[in-house]
């Protein structure tokens, strides 16, 4: 809370929820457009930004700790580096999880039931810890961190583009973890069976994929710290 940027980022989900609930419906209505036609696109964009934001939040928090040599100090305390990082990563996952639930529920677009909102929020939020670790894996300071964050942020374009494909061409975008919650949302809104894979296939393949990526990135980051 002592950092104005970090504090502002914590309130991003509220802003996105208000945009989805009031601003976008009003804008589309004034242009004579039916919001239901763009429901999956809108909810995907609003939702996928939440893990990106909180991933960046924890990424720069860990970068601060590295600059202040806190991670080195933790090595000689009873709280080892794994527990220290686990606390940070679990907290950011929970914040992202709650933020995704709020955005999808409050926006009230696409007639998503609460059970599906919870499941998709869980899958989407697993990307947040990975994003934070990737920022630290590829950067040594905040300047490099901003560059890496922007690079990772551009990847969100791929799952959005994938919504315009319903055949095997969509698999070209499947290397991005956010592809799976995006297509799962689209599958629910458009109807299961209308896309190349089923909802369950998108969900469970994505779940295994993002968990494996988290494990790999975490191990690479620990090796970088030489602990």
């Amino acid at each position: 809370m002592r950092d104005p940027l970090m504090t502002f980022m914590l309130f991003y989900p509220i802003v996105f929820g208000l945009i989805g609930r009031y601003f976008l419906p009003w804008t589309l209505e004034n242009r004579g457009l039916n919001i239901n036609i763009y429901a999956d696109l809108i909810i995907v964009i609003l939702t996928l930004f939440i893990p990106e934001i909180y991933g960046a939040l924890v990424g720069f928090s860990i970068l601060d700790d590295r600059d202040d040599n806190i991670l080195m100090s933790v090595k000689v305390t009873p709280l080892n580096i794994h527990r220290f990082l686990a606390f940070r990563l679990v907290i950011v996952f929970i914040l992202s999880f709650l933020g995704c639930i709020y955005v999808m529920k409050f926006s009230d677009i696409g007639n998503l039931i609460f059970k599906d909102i919870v499941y998709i929020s869980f899958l989407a939020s697993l990307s947040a810890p990975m994003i934070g670790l990737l920022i630290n894996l590829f950067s040594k300071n905040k300047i490099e961190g901003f560059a890496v964050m922007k690079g990772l942020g551009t990847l969100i374009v791929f799952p959005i583009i994938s919504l315009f494909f319903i055949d095997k061409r969509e698999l070209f975008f499947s290397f991005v973890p956010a592809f799976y919650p995006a297509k799962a949302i689209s599958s629910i809104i458009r109807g299961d069976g209308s896309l190349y894979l089923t909802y369950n296939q998108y969900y469970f393949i994505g779940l295994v994929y993002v968990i494996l990526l988290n494990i790999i990135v975490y191990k690479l980051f620990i090796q970088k710290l030489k602990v």
Side-chain angles (χ1 to χ4, degrees), residues 141-161:
N141 51 57
K142 285 188 175 181
I143 296 176
E144 293 181 2
F146 273 110
V148 174
M149 180 186 70
K150 289 181 179 180
L152 293 173
T154 60
L155 294 178
I156 200 173
V157 174
F158 290 98
I160 293 172
I161 295 175

Side-chain angles (χ1 to χ4, degrees), residues 37 52 83 109 132 142 172 201:
I37 298 175
E52 293 278 341
R83 292 180 182 176
I109 298 173
K142 285 188 175 181
F172 173 78
Q201 288 173 321

Side-chain angles (χ1 to χ4, degrees), residues 33-113:
L33 300 174
N34 185 353
I35 193 172
N36 293 324
I37 298 175
Y38 308 97
D40 59 339
L41 180 63
I42 292 171
I43 203 68
V44 163
I45 293 174
L46 293 175
T47 302
L48 294 188
F49 269 110
I50 302 302
E52 293 278 341
I53 292 166
Y54 284 116
L57 179 67
V58 74
F60 282 98
S61 177
I62 295 173
L63 274 176
D64 273 336
D65 292 339
R66 291 171 62 190
D67 288 342
D68 297 335
N69 292 317
I70 291 177
L71 295 184
M72 296 298 293
S73 302
V74 168
K75 294 180 185 180
V76 297
T77 67
L79 179 67
N80 62 37
I81 191 69
H82 298 287
R83 292 180 182 176
F84 181 80
L85 289 174
F87 175 77
R88 292 290 182 88
L89 299 177
V90 169
I91 288 297
V92 80
F93 167 78
I94 292 173
L95 288 173
S96 178
F97 177 63
L98 295 176
C100 288
I101 290 176
Y102 165 77
V103 167
M104 284 192 280
K105 183 66 176 176
F106 187 76
S107 296
D108 195 24
I109 298 173
N111 297 318
L112 297 172
I113 63 175

Side-chain angles (χ1 to χ4, degrees), residues 168-186:
K168 62 182 179 181
R169 290 178 295 176
E170 71 178 25
L171 299 179
F172 173 78
F173 308 97
S174 63
F175 69 96
V176 181
F179 165 86
Y180 299 94
K183 298 301 284 191
I185 291 172
S186 185

